[in-house]
Amino acid sequence: MDRHIAAQLATMDAVRTWDERRATGEVTNVTYANRLLGVARDEEAGWMAIVDCRPRSDRESRLKLTYMAAYLMATRGTLTADELRSALEAPRDRPNASIS
């Protein structure tokens, strides 16, 4: 999650920089669009690393869910079916409940 937060901050800086360069005429609209696409791909890769993360404990599971919820609220996004399955996955080391 720390890496994703750092990536988000880097994304904001990159977008701001490219916006400034475009406003001053340093880059063409095509170059600008391509650079923003690259930034968006990097951000998506960071998000997928969070989605694909498999919590090892209940604590990590709660942290993942909290982070995902905050991200979705901030971006007004939604989860795909695969992302939802990942969010609902139980931690790997959770003991199986047995019925006696």
Side-chain angles (χ1 to χ4, degrees), residues 35-78:
R35 296 301 180 178
L36 288 185
L37 180 60
V39 167
R41 285 182 180 149
D42 291 346
E43 196 282 326
E44 176 68 14
W47 171 247
M48 291 311 298
I50 296 295
V51 170
D52 294 339
C53 173
R54 299 199 120 159
R56 293 172 291 185
S57 66
D58 282 337
R59 181 182 182 283
E60 283 186 9
S61 184
R62 284 190 303 274
L63 285 172
K64 177 180 176 177
L65 289 173
T66 301
Y67 184 84
M68 289 177 76
Y71 178 83
L72 292 171
M73 284 186 276
T75 62
R76 298 176 191 244
T78 59

Side-chain angles (χ1 to χ4, degrees), residues 4-22:
H4 188 240
I5 292 169
Q8 293 241 296
L9 293 173
T11 296
M12 288 184 340
D13 289 342
V15 169
R16 187 177 308 112
T17 298
W18 284 104
D19 282 345
E20 290 169 359
R21 291 182 73 185
R22 182 172 158 246

